[in-house]
Amino acid sequence: MDQFQLVCPCVLGVEGLVAEELRDMGAQQVEPQNGRVVFAGSEEMLARANLCSRYSERVLVLLGTFRAVTFEQLFQGVKALPWEQWIGKLDKFPVKGRSLSSQLSSVPDCQSIIKKAIVERLKMKYRIPWFEESGDMYQVQFLILKDTVSVMLDTSGVGLHKRGYRPNAAEAPIKETLAASMAKLARLWPDSHVYDPFCGSGTILIESALLAMNIAPGLQRRFAAQSWKGVDESVWVRERERAQDLVRRDSTFLATGYDIDGAAVALTLENAKKAGVIAHIRAEKRDIRDFAEEGERGCVICNPPYGERLLDLSQAEELYTAMGQRFVPKRGWSYHIISPDETFESCFGRPADKRRKLYNGMIKCQLYSYFKA
């Protein structure tokens, strides 16, 4: 298995960032699609994408794509795929997936058909009547979109946003992958100073530090494919060493967090320590109304509380007004605020210099960026 097709699902709106980082990693035939990026790579690229991708949700092996409008077509299409190249006689292979705008709309029925087709293929290849499924985990995923079936194996296990540093999170946390995307869109440098006046559990600060210092986000965790027989353990060892070598240890990056909740401040520092970036992060209890720019340059990135999250609408709008008063246009300073509230700019007091549509979970948001003095 020298080269195979891989897929990185991602949050809507960050496909371009995922494609760019995969190309930078050396991936071939990179093709951004709606909510995912398809690319070609070796087992090295499989490991590298898991360890180093900041913006993807997971890494999947794409085993095949075909059209199916009947259960028989689905069964035969799945059965024709080379499952025995991956799944051993004892391995577990549960099936999950989804169907969108397709004639085969019942997900439970599709799961059952796909499972049966895999079993029939493996029975034929291994010449055994049943499978005890006590070995390694090979999670099968499928997507049926407009009658086109994609069948995949999940190499990541737990989603890639689970970096390993945040077992504890403040109320309504932002996903690590989205925080990393915001940091990238804010155009951080290794010597940037980032501020988050609503730091919560510190996710934006930590992801900004990992990006600025080029620390691979997956260094502290394991992945499902590390136990797979088809991917040699030495590949993972080499890729971890490669990622360690790329860390910018001389970075002067600094991140400062504020929060009105003292427990959130303590949590930010605790999580920064777990992430290995505590030397670059400080945090203190402070209200947004006491925010003031310090120094010639700074970059504010934040996810303020809002109506659908923690505050009622009138409280959120008061907060946006206070932010507009404190986030003053100033040469060398930029402000990047994610919000689902369509009245944000009017409450803030001025239109954004740039807007970008992003999703925070299932909530459609805008990233409002201000950088003109």
Side-chain angles (χ1 to χ4, degrees), residues 130-149:
W130 66 283
F131 295 87
E132 60 181 69
E133 297 196 49
S134 60
D136 295 328
M137 169 66 80
Y138 289 78
Q139 177 66 63
V140 179
Q141 290 208 17
F142 68 88
L143 170 64
I144 308 177
L145 178 61
K146 296 179 181 175
D147 299 325
T148 297
V149 183

Side-chain angles (χ1 to χ4, degrees), residues 28-309:
Q28 304 293 313
Q29 300 166 39
V30 178
E31 182 190 341
Q33 298 177 357
N34 207 19
R36 68 181 198 169
V37 178
V38 179
F39 60 106
S42 59
E43 56 185 20
E44 284 80 12
M45 183 52 58
L46 182 157
R48 190 176 302 171
N50 271 301
L51 285 162
C52 301
S53 180
R54 297 182 195 282
Y55 322 115
S56 306
E57 295 304 313
R58 53 186 66 246
V59 181
L60 310 171
V61 177
L62 181 59
L63 293 187
T65 303
F66 55 89
R67 182 175 166 78
V69 294
T70 67
F71 286 132
E72 179 61 20
Q73 289 174 336
L74 179 62
F75 179 88
Q76 295 299 339
V78 172
K79 189 181 175 188
L81 299 175
W83 296 101
E84 67 281 359
Q85 290 182 11
W86 297 91
I87 301 171
K89 295 177 184 178
L90 301 178
D91 295 330
K92 296 189 280 281
F93 49 100
V95 178
K96 65 180 179 181
R98 54 202 181 112
S99 176
L100 302 167
S101 307
S102 299
Q103 291 188 50
L104 297 177
S105 58
S106 169
V107 169
D109 286 342
C110 291
Q111 283 177 289
S112 177
I113 295 291
I114 290 170
K115 180 77 174 187
K116 185 179 176 185
I118 299 169
V119 167
E120 289 304 311
R121 170 84 183 202
L122 294 179
K123 270 186 184 177
M124 187 174 64
K125 293 294 179 179
Y126 291 134
R127 301 184 187 282
I128 55 177
W130 66 283
F131 295 87
E132 60 181 69
E133 297 196 49
S134 60
D136 295 328
M137 169 66 80
Y138 289 78
Q139 177 66 63
V140 179
Q141 290 208 17
F142 68 88
L143 170 64
I144 308 177
L145 178 61
K146 296 179 181 175
D147 299 325
T148 297
V149 183
S150 297
V151 186
M152 298 152 287
L153 286 174
D154 178 11
T155 73
S156 301
V158 176
L160 294 185
H161 69 281
K162 297 279 190 181
R163 318 292 207 204
Y165 65 75
R166 198 178 77 172
N168 302 314
E171 195 174 357
I174 192 170
K175 234 180 180 182
E176 294 88 331
T177 42
L178 179 58
S181 301
M182 290 167 63
K184 178 68 172 178
L185 293 168
R187 300 187 176 182
L188 295 191
W189 293 89
D191 62 347
S192 290
H193 189 161
V194 164
Y195 295 82
D196 180 0
F198 310 96
C199 64
S201 54
T203 310
I204 289 174
L205 302 174
I206 293 167
E207 289 299 327
S208 296
L210 295 176
L211 174 62
M213 299 171 67
N214 203 35
I215 298 173
L219 278 176
Q220 293 190 20
R221 54 160 290 181
R222 283 185 60 83
F223 305 93
Q226 282 185 251
S227 63
W228 291 7
K229 290 170 281 295
V231 184
D232 197 274
E233 178 60 29
S234 64
V235 171
W236 294 96
V237 172
R238 286 197 306 273
E239 287 302 323
R240 284 183 189 275
E241 289 173 351
R242 174 187 175 276
Q244 292 278 15
D245 290 344
L246 292 172
V247 174
R248 296 190 190 102
R249 302 183 196 282
D250 58 347
S251 170
T252 57
F253 175 84
L254 187 62
T256 300
Y258 305 121
D259 205 287
I260 57 169
D261 181 359
V265 170
L267 191 54
T268 287
L269 296 173
E270 182 187 331
N271 289 342
K273 190 173 183 180
K274 286 183 182 132
V277 294
I278 188 64
H280 298 263
I281 290 179
R282 59 194 191 195
E284 63 182 68
K285 188 174 177 180
R286 186 185 293 189
D287 190 278
I288 181 61
R289 292 161 185 84
D290 298 321
F291 180 86
E293 292 97 343
E294 302 167 11
E296 293 182 5
R297 292 193 304 135
C299 176
V300 175
I301 309 173
C302 62
N303 174 35
Y306 47 72
E308 292 178 54
R309 217 168 58 113

